[in-house]
């Protein structure tokens, strides 16, 4: 690389609500330097996480996949040989057509997720699905529980402008390790502290990097956040901090809620969540006295069997206090509803058949091993195209997932950037581009910007984008759609214009477009997004779709601690959370040396008193298990968890564990009510010295 780099603009494509606006150093058509947060974007504000700042380490990694390869050994053996793109695509199409001829189109299951958050490259796989009437995809692994829990109250997946965090007097960061997983939250929180003297409260299951920066930290047992929220609201009503005029005008059942909460005292909550009653009283009083209280609600505390109920209960606090009325007040989880996308061209929604079955993403193990209820009376899955995800690492009940991929009658084509655990199990592996090597558009989950992501460098080897691959397959499969005759940039341009945004070239020139609604809309001052305009303390859980997966029976009618979690038992006395590791992002960045060096090795955080009782020394080899499997990790004595709780930060590759088996061998694929969702932090385990 010679000379000074030129600066180009993009957006971080990874599965993080920050969706940072980026400035990228480009040295030539094939190489980049440093990556920085865009200083002129007032949400990113020049800040980006360390792993993305070092993106050159990932995009120029020597282990990137560069050529199509076909399996020559047994499944999982890692034995492949190089073939041409034409032969690879011909083979894939041939196998899909053979499967369809035998079992019908629903036997093919396109499977994807958020390895890129770009709308064109991520969601274009659905166009192939809908044109061919392949099995549908119920995307449950990450967001379903949290989104449904928030929508249950507001009626809409949107809240107070995230930039208002800087204008709060009290910021409650609940169930997200923002310092590790969405660093921009901390940018605005710390700004509020410096400029306004705001206080930062963190609620989580362990004292993580975010908790260390808080003025007040409440450490809860996993799956008990609903109890804490109810006790806070009990105090708000009891001590006259509830805004009764707001409640009467803007909510559905304030009197019922108050009566219901009369028995949900801080002492009651302490017995459930472990937070001392005095700490609950203190936080509730602070919330009650602070009009500009901003509730920043994360995903982590929803990843339980009662996760949707927990999210709803926490969101109710802002309605009880009337914090929605104030700039710097209210609640926020995700801004997905503000963008108003018309994605019919990207996803082929104009040809979607609503009668095609929806298979649950999180239950890929039961699906691939042929559980009748998961197949919904339809054929087995015998062919897959997998993009943007690594289910052999990230999906729960790993041993079932592995058994499914080992089936000789399953043809799996994996389009990937590295030889992941899933690619190792594939019959056909195709090399994929990274975000700087193709055109795309992005929306922020944690902010309000639509951001252009133009191609900046050429891909290495023979890497092709998701859009190119699905278009080439469609041609060989004998189907057509207008999106297949267009480039990714043209699809992006048409989608932007149909959705009321500037075209792709204009967006590239402007870098981003702000979709944030006005204050009254964002704060629901003219009514919440239900027909009666009222916030719902009493949600209709049974009304959530898709109906085929609805399982709302037994969900509480009002905010509560719903004891639907996998509680500890005499045989499995610990509750385990698999919270994100700072250096990784799901299974991305696990291949980069600096992330590996930072994380070291898999560990289990355990309270020193629990470790001493079990005879486990600090750093000692430890076996953690349940009725599904067991794994060996090293112990880390840590007093930042409640007794009876362990945390294994994830997601580590299987080979990082001593016995080659990762932590998701222990997690459950149970479909959480009302319509499914990953329950990764809801696991009862035993812990022993190894």
């Amino acid at each position: 690389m010679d000379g000074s780099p030129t600066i180009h603009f993009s957006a971080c494509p990874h599965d993080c609500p920050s969706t940072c606006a980026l400035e990228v150093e480009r040295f030539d058509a094939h190489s980049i330097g440093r990556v920085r947060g865009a200083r002129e974007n007032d949400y990113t504000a020049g800040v980006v996480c360390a792993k993305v700042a070092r993106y050159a380490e990932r995009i120029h990694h020597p282990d990137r996949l560069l050529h199509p390869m076909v399996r020559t050994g047994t499944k999982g053996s890692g034995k492949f040989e190089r073939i041409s793109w034409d032969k690879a695509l011909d083979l894939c199409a041939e196998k899909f057509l053979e499967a369809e001829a035998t079992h019908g189109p629903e036997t093919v299951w396109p499977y994807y997720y958020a390895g890129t958050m770009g709308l064109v490259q991520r969601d274009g796989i659905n166009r192939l699905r809908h044109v061919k009437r392949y099995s549908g995809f119920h995307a449950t692994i990450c967001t379903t529980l949290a989104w449904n829990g928030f929508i249950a109250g507001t009626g809409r997946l949107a809240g107070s402008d995230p930039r208002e965090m800087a204008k709060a007097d009290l910021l409650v960061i609940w169930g997200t390790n923002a310092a590790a997983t969405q660093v921009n939250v901390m940018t605005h929180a710390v700004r509020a502290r410096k400029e306004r003297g705001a206080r930062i409260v963190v609620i989580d299951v362990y004292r993580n990097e975010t908790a260390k920066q808080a003025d007040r930290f409440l450490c809860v047992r996993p799956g008990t956040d609903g109890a804490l929220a109810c006790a806070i609201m009990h105090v708000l009503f009891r001590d006259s901090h509830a805004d009764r005029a707001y409640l009467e005008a803007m909510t559905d059942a304030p009197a019922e809620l108050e009566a219901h909460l009369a028995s949900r005292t801080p002492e009651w909550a302490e017995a459930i969540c472990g937070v001392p009653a005095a700490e609950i009283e203190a936080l509730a009083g602070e919330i009650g006295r602070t009009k500009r209280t901003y509730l920043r609600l994360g995903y982590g505390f929803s990843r339980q069997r009662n996760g949707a109920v927990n999210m709803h209960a926490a969101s109710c606090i802002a309605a009880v206090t009337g914090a929605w009325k104030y700039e710097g007040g209210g609640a926020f989880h995700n801004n997905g509803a503000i963008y108003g996308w018309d994605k019919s061209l990207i996803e082929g929604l104009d040809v979607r058949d609503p009668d095609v079955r929806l298979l649950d993403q999180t239950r890929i193990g039961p699906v691939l091993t042929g559980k009748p209820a998961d197949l919904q009376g339809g054929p087995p899955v015998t062919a897959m195209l997998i993009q943007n995800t690594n289910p052999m690492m990230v999906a729960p009940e790993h041993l079932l997932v592995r058994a499914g991929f080992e089936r000789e009658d399953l043809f799996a084509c994996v389009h990937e950037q590295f030889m992941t655990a899933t690619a190792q199990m594939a019959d056909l592996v195709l090399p994929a581009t990274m975000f700087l090597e193709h055109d795309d558009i992005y929306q922020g989950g944690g902010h309000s910007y639509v951001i252009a992501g133009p191609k900046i460098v050429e891909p290495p080897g023979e890497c092709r984008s998701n859009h190119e691959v699905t278009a080439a397959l469609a041609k060989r499969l004998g189907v057509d759609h207008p999106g297949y005759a267009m480039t990714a940039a043209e699809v992006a341009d048409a989608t932007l214009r149909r959705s009321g945004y500037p075209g792709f070239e204009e967006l590239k020139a402007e870098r981003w477009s702000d979709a944030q609604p006005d204050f009254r809309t964002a704060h629901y001052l003219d009514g919440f997004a239900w027909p009666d305009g009222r916030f719902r303390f009493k949600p209709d859980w049974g009304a959530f779709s898709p109906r085929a997966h609805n399982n709302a029976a037994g969900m509480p009618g009002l905010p509560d601690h719903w004891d639907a979690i996998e509680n500890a038992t005499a045989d499995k006395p610990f509750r385990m959370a698999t919270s994100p590791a700072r250096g990784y992002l799901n299974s991305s960045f696990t291949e980069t040396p600096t992330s590996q060096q930072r994380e070291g090795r898999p560990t289990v955080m355990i309270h020193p008193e629990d470790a001493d009782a079990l005879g486990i020394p600090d750093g000692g080899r430890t076996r953690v298990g349940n009725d599904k499997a067991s794994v060996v990790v090293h112990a880390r004595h840590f007093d930042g968890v409640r007794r009876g709780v362990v945390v294994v930060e994830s997601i580590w590759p299987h080979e990082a564990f001593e016995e080659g088996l990762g932590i998701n061998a222990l997690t459950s694929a149970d479909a959480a009510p009302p319509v499914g969702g990953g329950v990764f932090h809801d696991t009862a385990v035993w812990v022993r010295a190894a």
Side-chain angles (χ1 to χ4, degrees):
M1 293 181 290
D2 297 320
S4 300
T6 55
I7 303 300
H8 297 254
F9 301 96
S10 188
C12 179
H14 287 282
D15 188 11
C16 166
S18 287
T19 319
C20 293
L22 302 179
E23 298 174 358
V24 181
E25 294 181 345
R26 179 184 185 271
F27 283 95
D28 55 43
H30 299 279
S31 58
I32 67 164
R34 293 285 295 178
V35 176
R36 296 183 291 270
R39 286 159 288 192
E40 294 179 21
N41 182 286
D42 60 2
Y43 185 76
T44 301
V47 178
V48 73
C49 69
K51 49 188 174 283
V52 172
R54 300 188 303 265
Y55 214 85
E57 185 179 29
R58 189 167 194 272
I59 199 169
H60 301 313
H61 199 291
D63 293 339
R64 278 194 68 176
L65 294 172
L66 299 177
H67 311 287
M69 294 185 292
V70 65
R71 178 172 63 86
T72 58
T74 58
K75 290 204 173 191
S77 66
K79 294 181 179 179
F80 294 87
E81 68 178 18
R82 179 177 172 181
I83 60 172
S84 70
W85 264 105
D86 281 340
K87 287 183 178 179
L89 292 166
D90 288 346
L91 174 63
C92 187
E94 175 188 324
K95 291 294 185 180
F96 281 17
L97 290 169
E98 285 178 3
E100 183 178 351
T102 303
H103 298 288
E106 287 187 341
T107 195
V108 182
W109 192 22
Y111 191 96
Y112 77 106
Y113 204 55
T116 177
M117 295 291 279
L119 272 61
V120 176
Q121 305 291 351
R122 180 191 65 194
D123 300 334
I125 192 173
N126 288 320
R127 188 187 319 118
L128 184 65
R129 181 196 318 280
H130 295 144
V131 169
K132 286 293 296 177
R133 289 169 173 74
Y134 291 153
S135 277
F137 185 75
H138 185 28
T140 55
I141 201 162
C142 180
T143 64
T144 310
L145 288 162
W147 288 8
N148 287 340
F150 192 86
I151 293 168
T154 62
R156 187 169 185 256
L157 188 62
S160 304
D161 187 334
R163 291 163 292 197
E164 288 182 34
M165 288 185 286
K167 300 178 180 180
D169 293 323
L170 178 65
L171 181 61
V172 181
I173 301 174
W174 198 325
T176 180
N177 185 5
T181 59
Q182 41 183 318
V183 65
N184 308 96
V185 168
M186 299 310 296
T187 299
H188 296 282
V190 171
R191 179 183 166 194
R193 175 191 277 161
K194 289 180 177 178
E195 295 181 359
R196 302 179 59 83
R199 288 175 55 79
I200 300 172
V201 175
V202 170
I203 301 170
D204 217 309
V205 297
Y206 71 123
R207 192 175 64 244
N208 51 38
E209 292 302 314
T210 308
K212 292 174 185 176
Q213 298 184 43
D215 299 294
R216 186 191 299 276
F217 169 53
L218 275 65
C219 187
V220 298
R221 297 183 180 116
T224 64
D225 301 81
L228 175 61
C230 286
I232 289 170
M233 290 187 286
H234 167 95
V235 175
L236 294 173
F237 277 110
R238 185 198 68 195
D239 293 353
S240 301
H241 293 307
D243 187 331
R244 296 189 179 277
Y246 182 86
L247 285 164
E248 189 62 32
M250 301 297 294
T251 69
D252 64 340
E256 284 185 64
L257 177 66
E258 184 175 8
H260 166 73
L261 294 174
S263 61
R264 272 58 175 179
T265 64
E267 291 74 20
W268 165 85
E270 178 181 353
I272 297 168
C273 70
V275 179
E279 293 184 23
I280 300 173
E281 292 271 5
L283 175 58
E286 193 168 7
I287 291 172
R289 292 187 299 272
T290 309
K291 299 300 184 183
R292 298 179 190 270
T293 294
Y294 192 110
L295 294 166
R296 181 59 175 86
L297 305 174
Y299 287 94
F301 74 110
S302 73
R303 293 189 174 124
Q304 310 278 343
R305 289 165 177 82
N306 60 3
V309 172
N310 292 340
M311 173 62 77
H312 173 249
S315 74
C316 289
I317 295 170
V320 171
T321 64
W324 287 106
K325 297 189 299 184
Y326 307 100
E327 186 178 31
F332 180 84
H333 169 63
N334 183 287
N335 247 344
I338 71 172
Y339 294 102
W341 290 111
D342 177 350
K343 293 205 289 184
S344 55
L345 182 61
I346 292 176
E347 297 198 39
L349 298 177
D350 53 321
V351 294
R352 178 179 176 269
D353 182 350
D355 293 328
V356 171
R357 69 179 177 181
L358 280 176
L359 299 180
D360 189 331
Q361 171 195 22
T362 305
R363 293 188 58 77
I364 182 174
V367 167
L368 293 187
T369 52
K371 300 297 185 288
D374 290 285
L375 294 174
Q376 301 168 37
V381 171
T382 61
M384 298 181 74
L385 171 63
I386 300 171
Q387 292 182 327
N388 312 327
T389 189
N390 184 11
M392 277 286 292
M393 264 180 68
V394 305
E397 295 193 22
H398 167 72
L399 294 182
L400 273 185
V401 179
R402 177 182 291 180
F405 275 106
E406 287 174 342
R407 286 171 36 214
E408 287 299 327
D409 66 331
L410 173 68
F411 173 80
C413 174
V414 176
H415 187 202
E416 252 299 353
Q417 298 163 347
F418 293 94
M419 186 58 76
T420 63
T422 306
Q424 289 275 0
M425 299 299 295
D427 299 282
L428 183 65
V429 178
L430 307 177
T433 50
M434 291 189 183
F435 78 107
L436 297 175
E437 300 161 353
H438 56 237
D439 290 310
D440 216 332
I441 49 176
Y442 302 85
Q443 70 174 52
H447 57 72
S448 57
Y449 284 105
V450 173
I451 307 178
K455 180 179 177 179
I456 293 174
V457 292
E458 295 297 324
E462 299 179 51
C463 295
R464 294 189 185 180
S465 71
N466 294 349
H467 176 73
E468 292 172 302
V469 168
T470 55
L473 278 176
K475 181 178 180 180
R476 286 165 170 80
L477 292 166
V479 294
D480 197 14
H481 187 274
Y484 292 130
M486 304 166 73
T487 65
E490 290 169 339
V491 173
D493 182 76
T495 299
L496 286 163
R497 294 181 186 280
R498 291 181 181 187
S499 306
Y501 294 104
F504 190 53
E505 290 301 317
E506 297 168 76
L507 187 64
K508 285 196 296 183
E510 295 295 326
R511 295 177 283 174
W512 49 73
S513 177
D514 192 353
Q516 179 62 40
D518 63 86
F519 178 83
R520 293 193 66 84
T521 301
H523 285 252
Y524 300 101
L525 297 187
D526 297 317
F528 288 89
W530 295 111
D532 62 2
R534 294 175 178 270
F535 183 93
R536 290 188 175 179
F537 293 130
K538 296 178 66 176
D540 181 4
W541 295 112
F544 285 86
S545 61
R547 300 299 298 179
H549 297 272
N550 201 295
N551 182 30
M555 296 183 74
L558 287 161
D560 213 339
H561 169 63
W562 186 33
D563 194 18
I565 58 177
E566 186 174 72
N567 284 299
T569 65
D571 294 333
K572 294 178 289 186
F574 290 88
R575 294 264 296 146
M576 180 181 74
T578 57
S579 305
R582 186 170 191 170
Y584 301 147
L585 204 168
N586 301 321
S587 67
S588 295
F589 298 96
T590 58
E591 69 285 329
T592 53
T594 52
S595 288
Q596 294 171 345
Q597 291 165 11
R598 186 197 184 284
E599 296 302 327
R601 65 185 180 187
T603 62
V604 56
M605 300 181 194
I606 183 169
H607 196 282
E609 294 177 22
D610 285 332
D612 290 345
L614 294 168
I616 299 173
D618 191 23
R621 293 174 66 251
T622 307
R623 187 172 290 278
V624 181
N626 56 17
D627 54 348
K628 296 179 179 64
S630 68
V631 302
V632 173
V633 292
H634 288 79
R636 176 185 164 197
H637 289 196
F638 181 60
D639 64 3
V641 293
R642 295 284 171 199
R643 290 203 62 181
V645 175
V646 294
V647 174
V648 180
E649 289 188 328
S650 60
I651 302 173
W652 284 88
H654 297 289
E655 59 268 23
F657 289 81
E658 188 174 305
E659 297 176 333
L661 190 62
I663 200 64
N664 276 325
L666 310 185
T667 56
S668 173
D670 283 1
V675 291
V679 297
F680 293 99
H681 307 326
D682 190 357
T683 307
V685 295
W686 47 257
V687 179
R688 301 169 187 162

